[in-house]
Amino acid sequence: MNEYLTGINDVAGVVGSAVFDAANQCVAHAAPSPYEPILLSQVMEELRSSIDYLNYIDDGSPWETLIVNFEGGIVYLRKVDDMSILVLAQPTLNSAMLGVALNVVSLKLQRGQASGPGAASRSGTGMASGTGAPRSSTGMISQSGMGSSPSLSMS
């Protein structure tokens, strides 16, 4: 699965990427030190806690993408079925190219899960069934501040 991340990491501005399962365990990793899988798993736990809180406020609407912009970089999270792709990037990120790379990896993950063990129990929550196209956004939550405060987008 690490080979899936090569296309993401080739995008200008991407520092590293990783794939996580529903239990926040890193199943694929392509990021330099100090972004080790154990550290990124802790980051995923915090991100999922934030998402759970935002879902509580937003009546539990399903999410597909979470983007947090900091002064020094970007954390990008995309949900694909019961997996999540985490991307760490510089502020100079080419977000259009990242979107294309994430779509490719999302499709590969879905096809890999569909042909892998336990595929019948997996649910399609990140993409529209059978189309390979992202489902429509259910909402966006934004927060912005001064200095190093993050801005947050969720759809």
Side-chain angles (χ1 to χ4, degrees), residues 9-58:
N9 288 357
D10 288 342
V11 173
V14 170
V15 174
S17 57
V19 177
F20 296 87
D21 64 14
N24 300 325
Q25 297 301 309
C26 185
V27 296
H29 173 265
S33 293
Y35 306 109
E36 300 300 325
I38 188 112
L39 173 64
L40 293 176
S41 292
Q42 292 173 347
V43 169
M44 271 303 297
E45 286 182 33
E46 293 297 323
L47 288 172
R48 287 200 202 248
S49 293
S50 298
I51 290 168
D52 289 345
Y53 177 73
L54 292 171
N55 280 337
Y56 174 76
I57 292 172
D58 196 28

Short mmCIF file of all heavy atoms in Angstrom, two decimals, residues 9-58:
data_model
loop_
_atom_site.label_atom_id
_atom_site.label_comp_id
_atom_site.label_asym_id
_atom_site.label_seq_id
_atom_site.Cartn_x
_atom_site.Cartn_y
_atom_site.Cartn_z
N ASN A 9 2.94 11.98 -2.71
CA ASN A 9 4.18 12.62 -2.28
C ASN A 9 4.91 13.31 -3.42
O ASN A 9 5.77 14.16 -3.18
CB ASN A 9 5.10 11.62 -1.59
CG ASN A 9 4.59 11.24 -0.22
OD1 ASN A 9 3.59 11.76 0.25
ND2 ASN A 9 5.27 10.33 0.43
N ASP A 10 4.58 12.97 -4.68
CA ASP A 10 5.19 13.63 -5.83
C ASP A 10 4.58 15.00 -6.12
O ASP A 10 5.11 15.76 -6.91
CB ASP A 10 5.06 12.75 -7.08
CG ASP A 10 5.98 11.54 -7.04
OD1 ASP A 10 6.94 11.54 -6.23
OD2 ASP A 10 5.73 10.58 -7.80
N VAL A 11 3.46 15.32 -5.48
CA VAL A 11 2.80 16.62 -5.69
C VAL A 11 3.63 17.72 -5.02
O VAL A 11 4.08 17.57 -3.88
CB VAL A 11 1.36 16.61 -5.11
CG1 VAL A 11 0.73 17.99 -5.18
CG2 VAL A 11 0.50 15.59 -5.84
N ALA A 12 3.82 18.81 -5.74
CA ALA A 12 4.60 19.94 -5.22
C ALA A 12 4.00 20.45 -3.90
O ALA A 12 2.81 20.73 -3.83
CB ALA A 12 4.64 21.07 -6.24
N GLY A 13 4.84 20.52 -2.87
CA GLY A 13 4.42 21.04 -1.58
C GLY A 13 4.07 19.97 -0.55
O GLY A 13 3.93 20.27 0.63
N VAL A 14 3.93 18.71 -0.97
CA VAL A 14 3.62 17.64 -0.03
C VAL A 14 4.88 17.23 0.71
O VAL A 14 5.92 16.98 0.11
CB VAL A 14 2.98 16.43 -0.75
CG1 VAL A 14 2.87 15.23 0.20
CG2 VAL A 14 1.61 16.79 -1.29
N VAL A 15 4.77 17.16 2.04
CA VAL A 15 5.88 16.74 2.88
C VAL A 15 5.85 15.23 3.08
O VAL A 15 6.87 14.55 3.01
CB VAL A 15 5.83 17.45 4.25
CG1 VAL A 15 6.88 16.91 5.20
CG2 VAL A 15 5.96 18.95 4.07
N GLY A 16 4.66 14.69 3.31
CA GLY A 16 4.51 13.25 3.52
C GLY A 16 3.05 12.87 3.62
O GLY A 16 2.18 13.73 3.69
N SER A 17 2.80 11.56 3.61
CA SER A 17 1.43 11.09 3.66
C SER A 17 1.37 9.74 4.36
O SER A 17 2.39 9.07 4.52
CB SER A 17 0.85 10.98 2.25
OG SER A 17 1.65 10.12 1.45
N ALA A 18 0.16 9.36 4.77
CA ALA A 18 -0.04 8.09 5.45
C ALA A 18 -1.49 7.67 5.29
O ALA A 18 -2.36 8.50 5.03
CB ALA A 18 0.31 8.21 6.94
N VAL A 19 -1.73 6.37 5.43
CA VAL A 19 -3.08 5.81 5.38
C VAL A 19 -3.35 5.15 6.73
O VAL A 19 -2.49 4.45 7.27
CB VAL A 19 -3.23 4.78 4.24
CG1 VAL A 19 -4.61 4.15 4.24
CG2 VAL A 19 -2.94 5.42 2.89
N PHE A 20 -4.56 5.38 7.25
CA PHE A 20 -4.96 4.85 8.55
C PHE A 20 -6.24 4.05 8.43
O PHE A 20 -7.09 4.36 7.60
CB PHE A 20 -5.20 6.00 9.54
CG PHE A 20 -3.96 6.79 9.81
CD1 PHE A 20 -3.61 7.85 9.00
CD2 PHE A 20 -3.14 6.46 10.86
CE1 PHE A 20 -2.45 8.57 9.23
CE2 PHE A 20 -1.99 7.18 11.11
CZ PHE A 20 -1.63 8.24 10.29
N ASP A 21 -6.37 3.04 9.29
CA ASP A 21 -7.60 2.28 9.35
C ASP A 21 -8.57 2.96 10.32
O ASP A 21 -8.26 4.01 10.89
CB ASP A 21 -7.33 0.82 9.72
CG ASP A 21 -6.74 0.64 11.11
OD1 ASP A 21 -6.75 1.59 11.93
OD2 ASP A 21 -6.25 -0.48 11.38
N ALA A 22 -9.72 2.34 10.54
CA ALA A 22 -10.75 2.94 11.39
C ALA A 22 -10.32 3.04 12.86
O ALA A 22 -10.87 3.84 13.61
CB ALA A 22 -12.04 2.14 11.29
N ALA A 23 -9.32 2.25 13.25
CA ALA A 23 -8.83 2.28 14.63
C ALA A 23 -7.63 3.22 14.78
O ALA A 23 -6.91 3.15 15.77
CB ALA A 23 -8.45 0.87 15.07
N ASN A 24 -7.40 4.08 13.79
CA ASN A 24 -6.30 5.05 13.79
C ASN A 24 -4.92 4.42 13.72
O ASN A 24 -3.93 5.05 14.08
CB ASN A 24 -6.37 5.99 15.00
CG ASN A 24 -7.66 6.77 15.04
OD1 ASN A 24 -8.19 7.15 14.01
ND2 ASN A 24 -8.17 7.00 16.23
N GLN A 25 -4.84 3.19 13.26
CA GLN A 25 -3.56 2.52 13.10
C GLN A 25 -2.99 2.83 11.72
O GLN A 25 -3.70 2.73 10.72
CB GLN A 25 -3.71 1.00 13.27
CG GLN A 25 -4.16 0.60 14.65
CD GLN A 25 -3.22 1.07 15.74
OE1 GLN A 25 -2.01 0.84 15.66
NE2 GLN A 25 -3.76 1.76 16.74
N CYS A 26 -1.74 3.21 11.66
CA CYS A 26 -1.08 3.54 10.40
C CYS A 26 -0.83 2.25 9.62
O CYS A 26 -0.10 1.38 10.09
CB CYS A 26 0.23 4.27 10.68
SG CYS A 26 1.05 4.87 9.21
N VAL A 27 -1.44 2.12 8.44
CA VAL A 27 -1.27 0.92 7.61
C VAL A 27 -0.33 1.17 6.44
O VAL A 27 0.13 0.22 5.81
CB VAL A 27 -2.63 0.37 7.12
CG1 VAL A 27 -3.46 -0.10 8.30
CG2 VAL A 27 -3.38 1.39 6.31
N ALA A 28 -0.05 2.43 6.14
CA ALA A 28 0.92 2.79 5.10
C ALA A 28 1.50 4.14 5.48
O ALA A 28 0.80 5.00 6.01
CB ALA A 28 0.27 2.84 3.73
N HIS A 29 2.78 4.33 5.18
CA HIS A 29 3.47 5.53 5.64
C HIS A 29 4.54 5.93 4.64
O HIS A 29 5.33 5.10 4.20
CB HIS A 29 4.10 5.21 7.00
CG HIS A 29 4.98 6.27 7.55
ND1 HIS A 29 6.33 6.27 7.38
CD2 HIS A 29 4.70 7.37 8.28
CE1 HIS A 29 6.85 7.32 7.98
NE2 HIS A 29 5.88 8.01 8.53
N ALA A 30 4.54 7.19 4.25
CA ALA A 30 5.57 7.73 3.36
C ALA A 30 5.85 9.17 3.76
O ALA A 30 5.44 10.11 3.10
CB ALA A 30 5.14 7.64 1.90
N ALA A 31 6.49 9.32 4.90
CA ALA A 31 6.81 10.65 5.43
C ALA A 31 8.19 10.60 6.09
O ALA A 31 8.56 9.59 6.68
CB ALA A 31 5.75 11.10 6.44
N PRO A 32 8.93 11.71 5.99
CA PRO A 32 10.26 11.74 6.58
C PRO A 32 10.20 11.87 8.10
O PRO A 32 9.15 12.16 8.67
CB PRO A 32 10.88 13.00 5.95
CG PRO A 32 9.71 13.89 5.70
CD PRO A 32 8.58 12.97 5.33
N SER A 33 11.34 11.65 8.75
CA SER A 33 11.44 11.91 10.19
C SER A 33 11.17 13.39 10.42
O SER A 33 11.51 14.20 9.58
CB SER A 33 12.84 11.55 10.69
OG SER A 33 13.03 10.17 10.60
N PRO A 34 10.53 13.77 11.44
CA PRO A 34 10.10 13.03 12.62
C PRO A 34 8.68 12.48 12.51
O PRO A 34 8.09 12.11 13.52
CB PRO A 34 10.18 14.09 13.71
CG PRO A 34 9.75 15.34 13.02
CD PRO A 34 10.32 15.21 11.63
N TYR A 35 8.11 12.42 11.33
CA TYR A 35 6.71 12.00 11.15
C TYR A 35 6.61 10.48 11.09
O TYR A 35 6.27 9.90 10.07
CB TYR A 35 6.13 12.64 9.89
CG TYR A 35 6.26 14.13 9.87
CD1 TYR A 35 7.15 14.76 9.01
CD2 TYR A 35 5.52 14.92 10.74
CE1 TYR A 35 7.29 16.14 9.00
CE2 TYR A 35 5.65 16.30 10.74
CZ TYR A 35 6.53 16.89 9.87
OH TYR A 35 6.67 18.26 9.86
N GLU A 36 6.89 9.85 12.22
CA GLU A 36 6.85 8.39 12.33
C GLU A 36 5.41 7.93 12.50
O GLU A 36 4.55 8.68 12.98
CB GLU A 36 7.70 7.94 13.52
CG GLU A 36 9.16 8.34 13.42
CD GLU A 36 9.86 7.74 12.20
OE1 GLU A 36 9.54 6.60 11.81
OE2 GLU A 36 10.73 8.43 11.63
N PRO A 37 5.11 6.68 12.13
CA PRO A 37 3.74 6.17 12.22
C PRO A 37 3.11 6.32 13.61
O PRO A 37 1.93 6.65 13.71
CB PRO A 37 3.88 4.70 11.84
CG PRO A 37 5.06 4.68 10.92
CD PRO A 37 6.00 5.71 11.47
N ILE A 38 3.86 6.12 14.67
CA ILE A 38 3.30 6.24 16.02
C ILE A 38 2.85 7.67 16.32
O ILE A 38 1.79 7.89 16.89
CB ILE A 38 4.28 5.71 17.10
CG1 ILE A 38 3.59 5.66 18.44
CG2 ILE A 38 5.52 6.55 17.19
CD1 ILE A 38 3.39 4.27 18.94
N LEU A 39 3.64 8.65 15.87
CA LEU A 39 3.28 10.05 16.06
C LEU A 39 2.06 10.40 15.21
O LEU A 39 1.12 11.05 15.67
CB LEU A 39 4.45 10.95 15.70
CG LEU A 39 4.18 12.45 15.68
CD1 LEU A 39 3.82 12.95 17.08
CD2 LEU A 39 5.38 13.20 15.14
N LEU A 40 2.05 9.94 13.97
CA LEU A 40 0.92 10.24 13.09
C LEU A 40 -0.37 9.56 13.58
O LEU A 40 -1.46 10.11 13.41
CB LEU A 40 1.24 9.82 11.65
CG LEU A 40 2.36 10.62 10.99
CD1 LEU A 40 2.66 10.07 9.60
CD2 LEU A 40 2.00 12.10 10.91
N SER A 41 -0.26 8.40 14.21
CA SER A 41 -1.44 7.75 14.79
C SER A 41 -2.03 8.60 15.91
O SER A 41 -3.26 8.70 16.04
CB SER A 41 -1.09 6.35 15.31
OG SER A 41 -0.79 5.49 14.25
N GLN A 42 -1.17 9.22 16.70
CA GLN A 42 -1.65 10.13 17.75
C GLN A 42 -2.33 11.35 17.14
O GLN A 42 -3.37 11.81 17.64
CB GLN A 42 -0.51 10.54 18.66
CG GLN A 42 0.03 9.42 19.50
CD GLN A 42 1.27 9.81 20.28
OE1 GLN A 42 1.88 10.84 20.04
NE2 GLN A 42 1.66 8.96 21.23
N VAL A 43 -1.77 11.87 16.06
CA VAL A 43 -2.39 13.00 15.35
C VAL A 43 -3.76 12.59 14.83
O VAL A 43 -4.74 13.34 14.95
CB VAL A 43 -1.48 13.49 14.20
CG1 VAL A 43 -2.20 14.47 13.30
CG2 VAL A 43 -0.20 14.11 14.76
N MET A 44 -3.86 11.37 14.27
CA MET A 44 -5.15 10.89 13.77
C MET A 44 -6.19 10.80 14.88
O MET A 44 -7.35 11.16 14.67
CB MET A 44 -5.00 9.52 13.12
CG MET A 44 -4.65 9.55 11.65
SD MET A 44 -5.83 10.47 10.64
CE MET A 44 -7.31 9.52 10.85
N GLU A 45 -5.78 10.34 16.04
CA GLU A 45 -6.72 10.27 17.16
C GLU A 45 -7.27 11.66 17.50
O GLU A 45 -8.47 11.82 17.74
CB GLU A 45 -6.05 9.65 18.39
CG GLU A 45 -5.84 8.17 18.27
CD GLU A 45 -5.22 7.57 19.51
OE1 GLU A 45 -5.49 8.07 20.64
OE2 GLU A 45 -4.46 6.61 19.36
N GLU A 46 -6.38 12.66 17.52
CA GLU A 46 -6.81 14.03 17.81
C GLU A 46 -7.73 14.57 16.71
O GLU A 46 -8.74 15.23 16.99
CB GLU A 46 -5.61 14.95 17.99
CG GLU A 46 -4.78 14.64 19.21
CD GLU A 46 -5.54 14.84 20.51
OE1 GLU A 46 -6.35 15.79 20.60
OE2 GLU A 46 -5.32 14.05 21.44
N LEU A 47 -7.38 14.31 15.46
CA LEU A 47 -8.22 14.77 14.34
C LEU A 47 -9.60 14.12 14.39
O LEU A 47 -10.61 14.78 14.20
CB LEU A 47 -7.54 14.48 13.00
CG LEU A 47 -6.34 15.35 12.66
CD1 LEU A 47 -5.64 14.83 11.40
CD2 LEU A 47 -6.74 16.80 12.49
N ARG A 48 -9.64 12.82 14.66
CA ARG A 48 -10.94 12.14 14.73
C ARG A 48 -11.76 12.65 15.91
O ARG A 48 -12.98 12.75 15.80
CB ARG A 48 -10.75 10.64 14.81
CG ARG A 48 -10.31 10.06 13.49
CD ARG A 48 -10.59 8.58 13.43
NE ARG A 48 -9.74 7.97 12.45
CZ ARG A 48 -10.18 7.45 11.32
NH1 ARG A 48 -11.46 7.50 11.03
NH2 ARG A 48 -9.35 6.89 10.49
N SER A 49 -11.12 12.98 17.01
CA SER A 49 -11.85 13.57 18.15
C SER A 49 -12.46 14.91 17.74
O SER A 49 -13.60 15.21 18.07
CB SER A 49 -10.92 13.77 19.34
OG SER A 49 -10.52 12.54 19.86
N SER A 50 -11.69 15.70 17.01
CA SER A 50 -12.19 16.99 16.52
C SER A 50 -13.35 16.79 15.56
O SER A 50 -14.35 17.51 15.62
CB SER A 50 -11.08 17.78 15.83
OG SER A 50 -10.05 18.06 16.74
N ILE A 51 -13.22 15.83 14.67
CA ILE A 51 -14.29 15.54 13.71
C ILE A 51 -15.55 15.07 14.43
O ILE A 51 -16.66 15.49 14.10
CB ILE A 51 -13.82 14.51 12.67
CG1 ILE A 51 -12.77 15.14 11.76
CG2 ILE A 51 -15.00 13.96 11.87
CD1 ILE A 51 -12.04 14.15 10.89
N ASP A 52 -15.38 14.21 15.43
CA ASP A 52 -16.53 13.74 16.21
C ASP A 52 -17.25 14.92 16.87
O ASP A 52 -18.47 14.99 16.89
CB ASP A 52 -16.11 12.73 17.27
CG ASP A 52 -15.69 11.40 16.68
OD1 ASP A 52 -16.00 11.14 15.49
OD2 ASP A 52 -15.04 10.62 17.41
N TYR A 53 -16.47 15.85 17.41
CA TYR A 53 -17.06 17.04 18.03
C TYR A 53 -17.80 17.88 17.00
O TYR A 53 -18.93 18.31 17.22
CB TYR A 53 -15.98 17.86 18.73
CG TYR A 53 -16.52 19.14 19.33
CD1 TYR A 53 -17.30 19.10 20.47
CD2 TYR A 53 -16.26 20.37 18.73
CE1 TYR A 53 -17.81 20.27 21.02
CE2 TYR A 53 -16.77 21.54 19.27
CZ TYR A 53 -17.54 21.48 20.41
OH TYR A 53 -18.05 22.63 20.94
N LEU A 54 -17.18 18.11 15.84
CA LEU A 54 -17.83 18.90 14.80
C LEU A 54 -19.08 18.20 14.28
O LEU A 54 -20.09 18.85 13.99
CB LEU A 54 -16.86 19.19 13.65
CG LEU A 54 -15.70 20.11 13.99
CD1 LEU A 54 -14.69 20.14 12.85
CD2 LEU A 54 -16.20 21.52 14.31
N ASN A 55 -19.05 16.88 14.18
CA ASN A 55 -20.24 16.13 13.76
C ASN A 55 -21.36 16.26 14.78
O ASN A 55 -22.53 16.33 14.42
CB ASN A 55 -19.90 14.66 13.53
CG ASN A 55 -19.26 14.41 12.20
OD1 ASN A 55 -19.42 15.18 11.26
ND2 ASN A 55 -18.53 13.32 12.10
N TYR A 56 -21.00 16.29 16.05
CA TYR A 56 -21.99 16.47 17.10
C TYR A 56 -22.69 17.82 16.94
O TYR A 56 -23.91 17.92 17.04
CB TYR A 56 -21.33 16.36 18.47
CG TYR A 56 -22.26 16.67 19.61
CD1 TYR A 56 -23.21 15.74 20.01
CD2 TYR A 56 -22.18 17.87 20.29
CE1 TYR A 56 -24.08 16.02 21.06
CE2 TYR A 56 -23.03 18.17 21.34
CZ TYR A 56 -23.98 17.23 21.72
OH TYR A 56 -24.84 17.51 22.74
N ILE A 57 -21.91 18.87 16.66
CA ILE A 57 -22.47 20.21 16.48
C ILE A 57 -23.30 20.28 15.20
O ILE A 57 -24.34 20.93 15.16
CB ILE A 57 -21.34 21.26 16.42
CG1 ILE A 57 -20.66 21.38 17.77
CG2 ILE A 57 -21.85 22.62 15.97
CD1 ILE A 57 -19.42 22.25 17.76
N ASP A 58 -22.87 19.58 14.16
CA ASP A 58 -23.50 19.65 12.83
C ASP A 58 -24.48 18.49 12.62
O ASP A 58 -24.64 18.01 11.50
CB ASP A 58 -22.42 19.65 11.76
CG ASP A 58 -22.92 20.09 10.40
OD1 ASP A 58 -23.90 20.86 10.34
OD2 ASP A 58 -22.35 19.65 9.39
#
